Amino acid sequence: MAKKVTMMDIARAANVSQTTVSLVLNQSQSIQISDETRNKVLSVADELGYAKKLSFSRSQEPKKIALILDSISDHDPFMDAISTIWNSAWEYNYLISTFYFGNNPNLEQQIQAEISCNQTYVGVIYASSVTRRDLALKIKSELPTVLLNCSAKNNPSLPSILPADLHGGYVATEHLLHQGYKNIAIITGEAWMECSNQRLEGYKQALIDHNLVPKSAYIVEGDWSLNKAYKQTLNLLALANRPDAIFCCSDYMAMGCYQAINESGLRVGKDIAVIGYDNASHGRELEPQLSSVELPYARMGEEALIRVDSLVKQQPLMQLAMSIPSELFIRGSTPGVE
Protein backbone atom coordinates (compact mmCIF):
# COMPACT_ATOMS: atom_id res chain seq x y z
CA MET A 1 0.00 0.00 0.00
CA ALA A 2 1.34 3.43 -0.95
CA LYS A 3 2.18 5.77 1.91
CA LYS A 4 -0.44 8.42 2.50
CA VAL A 5 0.75 11.91 1.63
CA THR A 6 0.52 14.23 4.64
CA MET A 7 0.75 17.96 5.16
CA MET A 8 4.23 17.42 6.55
CA ASP A 9 5.31 15.89 3.21
CA ILE A 10 3.90 18.88 1.35
CA ALA A 11 5.60 21.36 3.71
CA ARG A 12 8.99 19.77 3.09
CA ALA A 13 8.60 19.66 -0.67
CA ALA A 14 7.30 23.24 -0.86
CA ASN A 15 9.86 24.52 1.67
CA VAL A 16 7.20 26.17 3.84
CA SER A 17 5.92 25.54 7.35
CA GLN A 18 3.30 22.93 8.06
CA THR A 19 1.09 25.68 9.48
CA THR A 20 1.18 27.43 6.09
CA VAL A 21 0.20 24.20 4.35
CA SER A 22 -2.68 23.72 6.78
CA LEU A 23 -3.95 27.26 6.21
CA VAL A 24 -3.80 26.87 2.43
CA LEU A 25 -5.43 23.44 2.26
CA ASN A 26 -8.17 24.46 4.68
CA GLN A 27 -8.76 27.66 2.68
CA SER A 28 -8.32 29.76 5.80
CA GLN A 29 -8.81 33.50 5.40
CA SER A 30 -7.60 34.37 8.91
CA ILE A 31 -4.03 35.04 7.77
CA GLN A 32 -2.95 36.72 4.55
CA ILE A 33 -0.87 34.35 2.41
CA SER A 34 0.65 35.47 -0.89
CA ASP A 35 -0.79 34.05 -4.09
CA GLU A 36 2.69 32.77 -4.98
CA THR A 37 2.94 30.73 -1.75
CA ARG A 38 -0.66 29.53 -2.00
CA ASN A 39 -0.21 28.37 -5.61
CA LYS A 40 3.10 26.69 -4.74
CA VAL A 41 1.52 24.69 -1.92
CA LEU A 42 -1.45 23.65 -4.06
CA SER A 43 0.84 22.67 -6.93
CA VAL A 44 3.08 20.54 -4.69
CA ALA A 45 0.03 18.94 -3.07
CA ASP A 46 -1.28 18.03 -6.50
CA GLU A 47 2.10 16.66 -7.65
CA LEU A 48 2.39 14.46 -4.55
CA GLY A 49 -1.14 13.13 -5.03
CA TYR A 50 -2.50 14.57 -1.79
CA ALA A 51 -6.11 13.61 -1.16
CA LYS A 52 -7.80 16.15 1.09
CA LYS A 53 -10.35 14.76 3.51
CA LEU A 54 -13.86 16.14 3.35
CA SER A 55 -15.18 18.08 6.29
CA PHE A 56 -16.97 16.10 8.98
CA SER A 57 -20.54 15.33 8.05
CA ARG A 58 -23.28 16.23 10.53
CA SER A 59 -24.00 12.55 11.07
CA GLN A 60 -20.36 11.81 11.92
CA GLU A 61 -19.18 13.11 15.26
CA PRO A 62 -15.40 13.66 15.27
CA LYS A 63 -13.58 11.55 17.83
CA LYS A 64 -11.42 13.21 20.46
CA ILE A 65 -7.82 12.53 21.47
CA ALA A 66 -6.39 13.93 24.69
CA LEU A 67 -2.93 15.46 24.21
CA ILE A 68 -1.27 15.78 27.62
CA LEU A 69 1.78 18.03 28.00
CA ASP A 70 3.99 18.01 31.06
CA SER A 71 5.71 21.33 30.25
CA ILE A 72 6.64 23.49 27.28
CA SER A 73 8.18 26.89 26.54
CA ASP A 74 7.59 29.29 23.66
CA HIS A 75 10.93 28.65 21.99
CA ASP A 76 11.14 24.91 22.66
CA PRO A 77 11.85 22.96 19.42
CA PHE A 78 9.41 20.36 20.74
CA MET A 79 6.62 22.72 19.66
CA ASP A 80 7.15 21.24 16.17
CA ALA A 81 5.73 17.95 17.43
CA ILE A 82 2.78 19.63 19.11
CA SER A 83 1.91 21.84 16.13
CA THR A 84 2.11 18.80 13.82
CA ILE A 85 -0.46 17.01 15.96
CA TRP A 86 -2.71 20.07 16.05
CA ASN A 87 -2.45 20.71 12.31
CA SER A 88 -2.72 17.09 11.14
CA ALA A 89 -5.38 15.69 13.45
CA TRP A 90 -8.23 16.54 11.09
CA GLU A 91 -6.63 14.31 8.44
CA TYR A 92 -7.36 11.39 10.75
CA ASN A 93 -10.86 12.59 11.71
CA TYR A 94 -9.90 13.58 15.25
CA LEU A 95 -10.29 16.63 17.43
CA ILE A 96 -7.41 17.33 19.83
CA SER A 97 -8.06 18.42 23.40
CA THR A 98 -4.79 19.70 24.85
CA PHE A 99 -4.09 19.48 28.57
CA TYR A 100 -1.11 21.15 30.22
CA PHE A 101 -0.25 20.44 33.83
CA GLY A 102 3.22 22.00 34.15
CA ASN A 103 4.38 19.14 36.38
CA ASN A 104 1.70 20.08 38.92
CA PRO A 105 0.47 16.82 40.53
CA ASN A 106 -2.94 18.30 41.45
CA LEU A 107 -3.60 19.31 37.86
CA GLU A 108 -2.37 15.90 36.79
CA GLN A 109 -5.05 14.23 38.89
CA GLN A 110 -7.75 16.52 37.54
CA ILE A 111 -6.73 15.73 33.96
CA GLN A 112 -6.88 12.01 34.67
CA ALA A 113 -10.37 12.41 36.15
CA GLU A 114 -11.54 14.43 33.14
CA ILE A 115 -10.34 11.84 30.64
CA SER A 116 -11.68 8.90 32.64
CA CYS A 117 -15.15 10.39 33.10
CA ASN A 118 -15.63 11.84 29.63
CA GLN A 119 -16.80 9.18 27.18
CA THR A 120 -15.94 11.26 24.10
CA TYR A 121 -12.20 10.49 24.27
CA VAL A 122 -10.93 7.53 22.26
CA GLY A 123 -7.16 7.88 22.76
CA VAL A 124 -4.35 9.65 24.62
CA ILE A 125 -1.00 11.08 23.53
CA TYR A 126 1.23 11.80 26.52
CA ALA A 127 4.03 14.18 25.49
CA SER A 128 7.18 15.12 27.39
CA SER A 129 9.03 18.23 26.24
CA VAL A 130 12.25 16.73 27.64
CA THR A 131 13.36 13.42 26.14
CA ARG A 132 13.02 10.77 28.86
CA ARG A 133 13.37 6.99 28.95
CA ASP A 134 12.71 6.73 32.69
CA LEU A 135 9.32 8.39 32.97
CA ALA A 136 7.32 7.30 36.01
CA LEU A 137 3.92 7.73 34.34
CA LYS A 138 1.29 8.85 36.84
CA ILE A 139 -1.57 9.50 34.44
CA LYS A 140 -3.17 6.14 33.74
CA SER A 141 -5.80 5.51 31.12
CA GLU A 142 -7.73 2.54 29.85
CA LEU A 143 -7.78 4.25 26.45
CA PRO A 144 -5.21 3.57 23.70
CA THR A 145 -2.15 5.58 24.78
CA VAL A 146 1.04 6.60 22.95
CA LEU A 147 4.04 8.19 24.64
CA LEU A 148 5.71 10.99 22.69
CA ASN A 149 9.37 11.86 23.39
CA CYS A 150 9.42 9.55 26.38
CA SER A 151 9.03 5.96 27.53
CA ALA A 152 7.65 4.72 30.85
CA LYS A 153 9.83 2.65 33.13
CA ASN A 154 6.75 1.51 35.07
CA ASN A 155 4.87 0.50 31.91
CA PRO A 156 7.23 -0.64 29.13
CA SER A 157 4.31 -2.11 27.17
CA LEU A 158 3.08 1.37 26.19
CA PRO A 159 4.06 2.41 22.63
CA SER A 160 6.70 5.13 22.67
CA ILE A 161 8.29 7.44 20.12
CA LEU A 162 11.76 8.90 20.75
CA PRO A 163 14.33 10.82 18.71
CA ALA A 164 17.48 8.90 17.71
CA ASP A 165 19.80 11.41 19.38
CA LEU A 166 22.77 9.04 19.46
CA HIS A 167 22.43 8.67 15.69
CA GLY A 168 22.16 12.46 15.34
CA GLY A 169 25.34 13.06 17.33
CA TYR A 170 27.10 10.44 15.22
CA VAL A 171 25.89 11.97 11.94
CA ALA A 172 27.00 15.49 12.91
CA THR A 173 30.46 14.35 13.94
CA GLU A 174 30.91 12.02 10.99
CA HIS A 175 30.08 14.89 8.63
CA LEU A 176 32.87 16.98 10.15
CA LEU A 177 35.28 14.06 9.85
CA HIS A 178 34.37 13.54 6.20
CA GLN A 179 35.03 17.24 5.65
CA GLY A 180 38.60 16.70 6.83
CA TYR A 181 38.38 18.08 10.37
CA LYS A 182 40.30 16.11 12.99
CA ASN A 183 40.29 18.25 16.14
CA ILE A 184 36.58 18.30 16.84
CA ALA A 185 35.17 19.74 20.07
CA ILE A 186 31.65 19.44 21.42
CA ILE A 187 29.55 21.77 23.56
CA THR A 188 26.95 19.52 25.18
CA GLY A 189 23.73 20.37 26.93
CA GLU A 190 23.23 19.72 30.62
CA ALA A 191 24.66 16.37 31.67
CA TRP A 192 21.49 15.12 33.40
CA MET A 193 19.49 15.24 30.18
CA GLU A 194 18.98 12.13 28.05
CA CYS A 195 19.35 13.96 24.73
CA SER A 196 22.63 15.56 25.79
CA ASN A 197 24.17 12.25 26.82
CA GLN A 198 22.96 10.50 23.67
CA ARG A 199 24.43 13.16 21.37
CA LEU A 200 27.71 13.02 23.27
CA GLU A 201 27.84 9.23 22.90
CA GLY A 202 27.23 9.58 19.18
CA TYR A 203 30.07 12.10 18.97
CA LYS A 204 32.47 9.78 20.80
CA GLN A 205 31.50 6.74 18.73
CA ALA A 206 32.05 8.56 15.44
CA LEU A 207 35.55 9.58 16.54
CA ILE A 208 36.40 6.06 17.66
CA ASP A 209 35.10 4.59 14.41
CA HIS A 210 37.52 6.89 12.57
CA ASN A 211 40.46 5.87 14.77
CA LEU A 212 40.43 9.06 16.84
CA VAL A 213 40.45 9.15 20.61
CA PRO A 214 37.93 11.59 22.20
CA LYS A 215 39.83 14.26 24.12
CA SER A 216 38.43 15.39 27.46
CA ALA A 217 39.65 18.95 26.81
CA TYR A 218 37.41 19.09 23.75
CA ILE A 219 34.28 18.00 25.65
CA VAL A 220 32.67 20.93 27.48
CA GLU A 221 29.24 21.29 29.01
CA GLY A 222 26.81 24.06 28.16
CA ASP A 223 23.37 24.68 29.62
CA TRP A 224 21.60 25.30 26.29
CA SER A 225 22.10 29.06 26.73
CA LEU A 226 23.83 31.40 24.30
CA ASN A 227 25.94 32.94 27.07
CA LYS A 228 27.35 29.65 28.39
CA ALA A 229 28.14 28.48 24.85
CA TYR A 230 29.91 31.79 24.22
CA LYS A 231 32.11 31.34 27.29
CA GLN A 232 32.85 27.69 26.58
CA THR A 233 33.85 28.54 23.01
CA LEU A 234 36.32 31.11 24.31
CA ASN A 235 37.78 28.40 26.57
CA LEU A 236 38.13 26.05 23.62
CA LEU A 237 39.80 28.73 21.48
CA ALA A 238 42.29 29.38 24.29
CA LEU A 239 43.62 25.81 24.17
CA ALA A 240 47.17 25.37 22.92
CA ASN A 241 45.84 23.03 20.25
CA ARG A 242 42.53 24.71 19.52
CA PRO A 243 39.82 22.71 17.74
CA ASP A 244 39.28 23.13 14.02
CA ALA A 245 35.57 22.31 14.36
CA ILE A 246 32.94 22.62 17.10
CA PHE A 247 29.76 20.56 17.38
CA CYS A 248 27.14 22.52 19.34
CA CYS A 249 24.32 20.35 20.68
CA SER A 250 21.75 23.02 19.86
CA ASP A 251 21.47 25.74 17.23
CA TYR A 252 20.83 28.30 19.96
CA MET A 253 24.18 27.49 21.56
CA ALA A 254 25.76 27.71 18.11
CA MET A 255 24.80 31.39 18.05
CA GLY A 256 26.94 31.98 21.14
CA CYS A 257 29.71 29.94 19.53
CA TYR A 258 29.59 32.14 16.41
CA GLN A 259 29.82 35.27 18.56
CA ALA A 260 32.91 34.05 20.42
CA ILE A 261 34.65 32.99 17.21
CA ASN A 262 33.97 36.32 15.52
CA GLU A 263 35.10 38.34 18.53
CA SER A 264 38.34 36.33 18.60
CA GLY A 265 39.17 37.54 15.09
CA LEU A 266 38.43 34.17 13.51
CA ARG A 267 35.91 33.30 10.82
CA VAL A 268 33.27 30.59 10.99
CA GLY A 269 33.61 28.32 7.99
CA LYS A 270 37.10 29.61 7.22
CA ASP A 271 39.21 29.24 10.35
CA ILE A 272 36.89 26.97 12.28
CA ALA A 273 33.81 24.93 11.38
CA VAL A 274 30.61 24.89 13.43
CA ILE A 275 27.70 22.47 13.27
CA GLY A 276 24.50 22.69 15.29
CA TYR A 277 21.53 20.56 16.27
CA ASP A 278 17.79 21.32 15.81
CA ASN A 279 17.83 22.81 12.29
CA ALA A 280 16.05 25.83 13.74
CA SER A 281 15.14 28.72 11.46
CA HIS A 282 17.51 31.15 13.19
CA GLY A 283 20.45 28.98 12.12
CA ARG A 284 19.70 29.89 8.52
CA GLU A 285 19.85 33.58 9.45
CA LEU A 286 23.49 33.33 10.54
CA GLU A 287 26.44 34.17 8.29
CA PRO A 288 27.53 31.69 7.10
CA GLN A 289 24.38 29.63 7.38
CA LEU A 290 24.63 26.92 10.01
CA SER A 291 24.93 23.24 9.13
CA SER A 292 22.65 21.37 11.49
CA VAL A 293 21.03 18.06 12.38
CA GLU A 294 17.26 18.32 12.35
CA LEU A 295 15.35 17.23 15.42
CA PRO A 296 12.63 14.96 13.99
CA TYR A 297 9.89 16.38 16.19
CA ALA A 298 7.45 17.03 13.34
CA ARG A 299 7.80 13.44 12.15
CA MET A 300 7.43 12.22 15.73
CA GLY A 301 4.19 14.16 16.14
CA GLU A 302 2.88 12.69 12.88
CA GLU A 303 3.87 9.21 13.98
CA ALA A 304 2.10 9.68 17.33
CA LEU A 305 -1.14 10.36 15.48
CA ILE A 306 -0.64 7.37 13.18
CA ARG A 307 0.03 5.05 16.10
CA VAL A 308 -2.85 6.17 18.28
CA ASP A 309 -5.12 5.93 15.24
CA SER A 310 -3.96 2.33 14.69
CA LEU A 311 -4.65 1.49 18.33
CA VAL A 312 -8.11 3.07 18.23
CA LYS A 313 -8.87 0.93 15.17
CA GLN A 314 -7.43 -2.10 17.01
CA GLN A 315 -4.71 -2.58 14.43
CA PRO A 316 -1.50 -4.23 15.71
CA LEU A 317 1.72 -2.21 15.90
CA MET A 318 4.84 -3.70 14.34
CA GLN A 319 6.99 -2.40 17.23
CA LEU A 320 6.25 -0.79 20.58
CA ALA A 321 9.31 1.45 20.83
CA MET A 322 10.11 3.61 17.85
CA SER A 323 13.26 5.70 17.40
CA ILE A 324 13.08 8.39 14.68
CA PRO A 325 16.41 9.20 12.96
CA SER A 326 17.57 12.72 12.22
CA GLU A 327 18.46 14.34 8.92
CA LEU A 328 21.61 16.41 8.32
CA PHE A 329 21.39 19.76 6.53
CA ILE A 330 24.75 20.92 5.18
CA ARG A 331 25.39 24.64 4.81
CA GLY A 332 28.25 27.12 4.73
CA SER A 333 29.53 26.69 8.30
CA THR A 334 31.19 23.34 7.47
CA PRO A 335 32.85 23.82 4.07
CA GLY A 336 35.66 21.35 4.60
CA VAL A 337 39.40 21.60 4.99
CA GLU A 338 41.06 23.30 2.02
Side-chain angles (χ1 to χ4, degrees):
M1 180 181 295
K3 179 181 180 293
K4 185 179 75 170
V5 177
T6 66
M7 287 192 290
M8 184 171 64
D9 297 322
I10 298 170
R12 285 178 181 163
N15 196 28
V16 297
S17 71
Q18 188 167 334
T19 300
T20 298
V21 173
S22 178
L23 291 170
V24 171
L25 296 181
N26 287 303
Q27 301 179 348
S28 173
Q29 302 300 318
S30 61
I31 297 177
Q32 187 66 34
I33 298 175
S34 70
D35 289 340
E36 180 183 0
T37 299
R38 189 180 302 276
N39 292 335
K40 182 179 181 181
V41 169
L42 292 174
S43 176
V44 169
D46 185 60
E47 290 174 6
L48 294 179
Y50 177 78
K52 184 180 184 300
K53 281 186 177 291
L54 299 176
S55 300
F56 298 118
S57 66
R58 292 185 180 180
S59 62
Q60 179 189 13
E61 282 293 324
K63 294 169 286 189
K64 292 171 68 176
I65 290 176
L67 172 61
I68 305 172
L69 301 174
D70 59 358
S71 63
I72 199 74
S73 62
D74 291 341
H75 304 293
D76 194 328
F78 189 63
M79 278 302 300
D80 286 348
I82 304 307
S83 63
T84 295
I85 293 171
W86 286 337
N87 290 328
S88 298
W90 68 273
E91 296 187 71
Y92 297 88
N93 288 340
Y94 293 112
L95 291 177
I96 299 295
S97 292
T98 304
F99 298 91
Y100 174 84
F101 64 92
N103 294 311
N104 182 322
N106 293 326
L107 282 177
E108 204 169 6
Q109 290 178 4
Q110 292 177 24
I111 291 170
Q112 181 167 336
E114 160 66 17
I115 296 171
S116 299
C117 296
N118 194 320
Q119 300 299 312
T120 62
Y121 293 104
V122 297
V124 175
I125 298 174
Y126 185 99
S128 173
S129 61
V130 177
T131 304
R132 300 186 61 181
R133 297 175 189 267
D134 61 346
L135 184 70
L137 191 65
K138 296 180 181 178
I139 291 181
K140 299 177 181 179
S141 173
E142 300 301 320
L143 298 172
T145 301
V146 173
L147 304 182
L148 177 58
N149 205 36
C150 57
S151 58
K153 65 179 181 180
N154 61 337
N155 196 343
S157 64
L158 284 177
S160 61
I161 305 167
L162 289 156
D165 277 312
L166 190 149
H167 170 263
Y170 191 99
V171 166
T173 309
E174 186 177 52
H175 166 65
L176 294 173
L177 291 164
H178 285 166
Q179 294 296 88
Y181 302 105
K182 300 297 183 186
N183 299 314
I184 303 171
I186 183 172
I187 302 177
T188 71
E190 293 169 287
W192 64 269
M193 297 183 72
E194 168 81 13
C195 62
S196 182
N197 289 325
Q198 289 287 304
R199 293 169 198 177
L200 176 59
E201 286 305 308
Y203 158 86
K204 290 179 177 178
Q205 191 60 54
L207 292 177
I208 292 170
D209 287 351
H210 287 76
N211 300 315
L212 294 172
V213 178
K215 300 177 181 179
S216 59
Y218 284 172
I219 301 173
V220 297
E221 182 178 334
D223 57 5
W224 307 111
S225 74
L226 186 152
N227 185 54
K228 184 66 175 290
Y230 168 82
K231 292 178 178 177
Q232 290 289 38
T233 301
L234 290 179
N235 292 334
L236 290 170
L237 297 179
L239 294 173
N241 184 24
R242 78 169 187 233
D244 54 11
I246 300 177
F247 169 24
C248 296
C249 283
S250 80
D251 289 353
Y252 192 66
M253 289 199 297
M255 293 172 64
C257 182
Y258 266 55
Q259 182 181 349
I261 291 171
N262 291 334
E263 288 184 7
S264 298
L266 300 172
R267 298 166 298 172
V268 175
K270 297 292 184 181
D271 302 304
I272 187 166
V274 178
I275 192 168
Y277 206 106
D278 293 341
N279 196 37
S281 58
H282 55 252
R284 297 189 289 277
E285 300 294 328
L286 298 173
E287 179 57 42
Q289 291 189 349
L290 178 66
S291 294
S292 185
V293 175
E294 183 179 60
L295 265 172
Y297 283 152
R299 280 175 287 167
M300 289 168 60
E302 182 78 22
E303 190 61 44
L305 274 174
I306 292 172
R307 305 198 103 202
V308 78
D309 179 58
S310 296
L311 293 174
V312 168
K313 295 175 180 175
Q314 298 184 337
Q315 297 171 346
L317 299 177
M318 297 299 293
Q319 57 186 122
L320 288 177
M322 176 173 285
S323 185
I324 307 295
S326 302
E327 184 178 353
L328 171 65
F329 290 82
I330 302 171
R331 303 187 179 95
S333 65
T334 58
V337 176
E338 296 180 357

